[in-house]
C-alpha cells in the first residue's frame, strides 16, 4: 500500500503499435494495461502509422481502465502523469500524448513529457531496483540500437557511445523475417523459427568488429543483404531454404555483435554493470549469450523480463516516478510531440 506522500504516477505509451498505460509508485509497478495493433499491421509487413493512430484512439480509454483495475487504484488517486512525447511515429505519439494531457488536465495533476528510450532503460528498475551509480545501457529496439553511458537516469545527461549506421537490430529482425516469409513482428517469429535451427549452419557477416572500426557503432544492413543473397541463391538453384538454420545463424550474428560491443564498452569505462533493454532484449538467444559472457567477465547483467522489454506503459510511468522523486519540474500541457527526439535526457525539452 502506498502512503499519502508517495506519488502515484500514470505512464502513457503510444509511440508505435502498443497502447500502454502503467501505474508506478516509489519504483514499484502497481499495475498496467496493454493493447497491441500488431495483428492489424501484419498483412502490410510493417506498422502503418494511420492504422496505429486509430488503434491507439480506440484502445486508450479501455486500456486505461484495465491499468487502473489492475493496480487497484481510482483515477483520482493519480498524482502525476508521464507520457512518451518522442521519438516514435508522429501520428501515434500524438494520440497518447493527447490522452495524457486530457487526464492530467481533468485531474489537475502535473504532466511530464518523457523520452521513449529512457523509458526502456527505466523498465529495468521495476524489476531490479535502482540503477547503479554508473552503467552501460545497450538499447535494442525496432527503431534504435545504441550503447549509452548512463549515470542517474533522470538527472545526468546521457552519453551516446555509439549507434547504428543503418538498420536498428529490431528492424533487421523484421526485414529478415519478411524475406524468410515469417511475417510481422519479425523478432518473435525469427526466435521461434530459430529454436530448431543450427546457429553455425551459415556464417553471416559481423560488421564493424575489426580493430580499426568504430568500437561502439553498429551496422546491420549488410547482414540483411547477406541473408537475402543466401535465400536467392538457394531458390535459384532449386534447393529448399532451410529457414530454421538461416534464422538461427542470423540471430547468432546479431547477438554476437551486440554482446561483443556492449561488453567492450563496460570494460573500456571500467564499469561492472551492463543493462540490456528494448524489444530485442526479449530475445532468448541474446539473453543467454549475454548472461554467459557477462558471467565469464565478472560483469553484472540486468535485463528486464520479456514483457517489460517490448513497449509498455509501465516503463514510461517508471521514468515519471523517478522524475517526481527527483523533484524535477514538470513539463506541463505545453509539451509537444517530437517524433525524432534524440536521447539527451529522460525528460524532453519544451518546444521553443
Ligand atoms: O522496443 P520495441 O517494442 O519498440 C520500439 O521501440 O521499436 O521493439 C520492437 C522490436 C521489433 O523490431 C521486434 O521485432 C523486436 O523488437 N523484438 C524481438 C523480439 N521481440 C520483439 N527481436 C528479437 N527477438 C524477440 N524475441
Ligand atoms: Zn520501444
Amino acid at each position: 500500500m502506498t502512503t499519502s506522500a508517495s506519488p502515484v504516477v500514470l505512464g502513457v505509451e503510444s509511440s508505435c503499435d502498443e497502447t500502454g498505460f502503467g501505474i508506478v509508485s516509489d519504483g514499484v509497478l502497481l499495475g498496467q494495461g496493454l493493447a497491441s495493433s500488431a495483428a492489424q499491421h501484419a498483412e502490410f509487413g510493417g506498422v502503418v502509422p494511420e492504422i496505429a493512430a486509430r488503434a491507439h484512439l480506440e484502445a486508450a480509454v479501455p486500456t486505461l481502465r484495465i491499468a487502473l483495475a489492475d493496480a487497484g487504484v481510482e483515477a483520482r488517486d493519480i498524482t502525476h502523469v508521464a507520457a512518451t512525447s518522442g521519438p516514435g511515429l508522429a501520428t501515434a505519439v500524438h494520440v497518447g500524448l493527447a490522452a495524457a494531457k486530457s487526464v492530467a488536465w481533468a485531474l489537475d495533476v502535473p504532466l511530464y513529457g518523457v523520452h521513449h528510450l529512457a523509458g526502456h532503460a527505466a523498465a529495468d528498475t521495476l524489476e531490479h531496483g535502482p540503477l547503479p551509480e554508473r552503467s552501460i545501457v545497450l538499447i535494442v529496439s525496432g527503431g534504435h540500437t545504441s550503447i549509452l553511458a548512463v549515470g542517474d537516469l533522470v538527472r545526468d545527461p546521457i552519453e551516446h557511445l555509439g549507434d547504428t549506421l543503418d538498420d536498428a537490430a529490431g528492424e533487421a529482425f523484421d526485414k529478415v523475417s519478411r524475406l524468410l516469409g515469417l511475417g510481422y513482428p519479425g523478432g518473435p517469429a525469427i526466435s521461434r523459427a530459430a529454436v530448431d535451427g543450427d546457429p553455425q549452419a551459415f556464417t553471416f557477416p559481423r560488421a564493424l568488429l575489426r580493430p580499426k572500426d568504430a568500437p561502439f557503432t553498429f551496422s546491420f544492413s549488410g547482414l540483411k543483404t547477406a541473408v537475402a543473397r543466401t535465400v536467392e541463391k538457394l531458390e535459384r538453384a532449386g534447393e529448399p531454404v532451410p529457414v530454421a538454420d538461416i534464422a538461427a545463424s542470423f540471430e547468432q550474428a546479431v547477438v554476437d555483435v551486440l554482446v561483443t560491443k556492449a561488453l567492450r564498452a563496460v570494460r573500456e569505462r571500467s564499469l561492472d554493470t551492463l543493462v540490456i533493454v528494448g524489444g530485442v532484449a526479449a530475445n532468448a538467444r541474446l539473453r543467454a549469450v549475454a548472461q554467459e559472457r557477462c558471467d565469464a567477465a565478472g560483469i553484472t547483467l540486468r535485463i528486464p523480463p520479456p514483457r517489460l522489454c517490448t513497449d509498455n506503459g509501465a516503463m514510461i510511468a517508471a521514468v515519471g516516478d523517478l522524475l517526481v522523486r527527483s523533484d524535477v519540474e514538470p513539463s506541463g500541457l505545453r509539451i509537444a510531440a517530437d517524433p525524432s527526439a534524440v536521447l539527451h535526457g529522460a525528460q524532453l525539452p519544451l518546444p521553443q
Side-chain angles (χ1 to χ4, degrees):
M1 210 50 225
T2 56
T3 67
S4 58
S6 298
V8 177
V9 183
L10 174 70
V12 185
E13 159 58 30
S14 73
S15 66
C16 193
D17 55 355
E18 257 94 36
T19 314
F21 289 84
I23 300 169
V24 168
S25 180
D26 280 339
V28 175
L29 175 58
L30 301 183
Q32 62 170 324
L34 190 63
S36 174
S37 60
Q40 295 179 53
H41 306 290
E43 65 175 293
F44 304 100
V47 178
V48 182
E50 291 75 14
I51 294 177
R54 177 171 289 272
H56 286 308
L57 196 56
E58 285 166 0
V61 172
T63 310
L64 169 58
R65 287 219 171 95
I66 290 169
L68 289 168
D70 188 42
V73 304
E74 304 286 335
R76 64 170 178 273
D77 298 328
I78 292 166
T79 60
H80 302 78
V81 179
T84 294
S85 39
L89 301 170
T91 55
V93 175
H94 275 119
V95 178
L97 186 55
K101 285 184 180 182
S102 312
V103 174
W105 181 77
L107 297 175
D108 194 20
V109 299
L111 172 70
Y112 292 88
V114 313
H115 198 288
H116 176 80
L117 297 180
H120 275 302
D124 186 65
T125 66
L126 296 175
E127 185 72 13
H128 299 120
L131 291 174
E133 206 170 308
R134 293 205 67 77
S135 58
I136 293 295
V137 177
L138 170 67
I139 295 196
V140 275
S141 73
H144 297 84
T145 302
S146 304
I147 296 181
L148 312 169
V150 172
D152 182 320
L153 192 59
V154 298
R155 290 203 162 277
D156 299 337
I158 293 167
E159 189 187 346
H160 277 250
L161 301 185
D163 297 283
T164 177
L165 295 175
D166 38 58
D167 295 344
E171 195 178 352
F173 271 91
D174 293 333
K175 288 179 174 172
V176 166
S177 176
R178 205 177 312 156
L179 69 90
L180 290 177
L182 295 174
Y184 174 86
I190 295 253
S191 265
R192 275 194 301 274
V195 169
D196 302 320
D198 173 6
Q200 254 93 53
F202 294 86
T203 309
F204 291 129
R206 274 86 166 144
L208 303 178
L209 279 185
R210 291 166 306 181
K212 66 175 174 52
D213 293 328
F216 308 121
T217 302
F218 298 99
S219 168
F220 293 110
S221 73
L223 171 58
K224 171 197 64 194
T225 308
V227 176
R229 294 281 166 276
T230 302
V231 172
E232 278 165 22
K233 227 163 100 191
L234 289 164
E235 282 175 344
R236 230 181 297 124
E239 288 176 34
V241 176
V243 171
D245 285 347
I246 294 180
S249 303
F250 159 78
E251 205 177 53
Q252 187 67 41
V254 174
V255 166
D256 259 357
V257 177
L258 291 175
V259 176
T260 300
K261 294 202 173 221
L263 284 187
R264 187 186 279 169
V266 177
R267 281 197 211 97
E268 179 164 295
R269 291 296 168 110
S270 308
L271 296 174
D272 55 17
T273 305
L274 172 63
V275 189
I276 307 183
V277 297
V280 181
N283 183 271
R285 192 180 306 268
L286 173 59
R287 300 172 80 94
V289 171
Q291 191 64 62
E292 200 178 291
R293 287 167 61 178
C294 281
D295 286 350
I299 291 166
T300 303
L301 175 67
R302 298 174 47 142
I303 312 183
R307 72 193 158 83
L308 289 177
C309 289
T310 44
D311 290 349
N312 63 82
M315 69 190 210
I316 305 304
V319 180
D321 176 64
L322 289 170
L323 288 164
V324 172
R325 288 191 287 138
S326 294
D327 283 327
V328 175
E329 191 69 23
S331 315
L333 296 176
R334 222 164 66 69
I335 187 71
D338 181 356
S340 51
V342 175
L343 181 60
H344 296 301
Q347 187 181 23
L348 286 190
L350 289 172
Q352 294 305 311

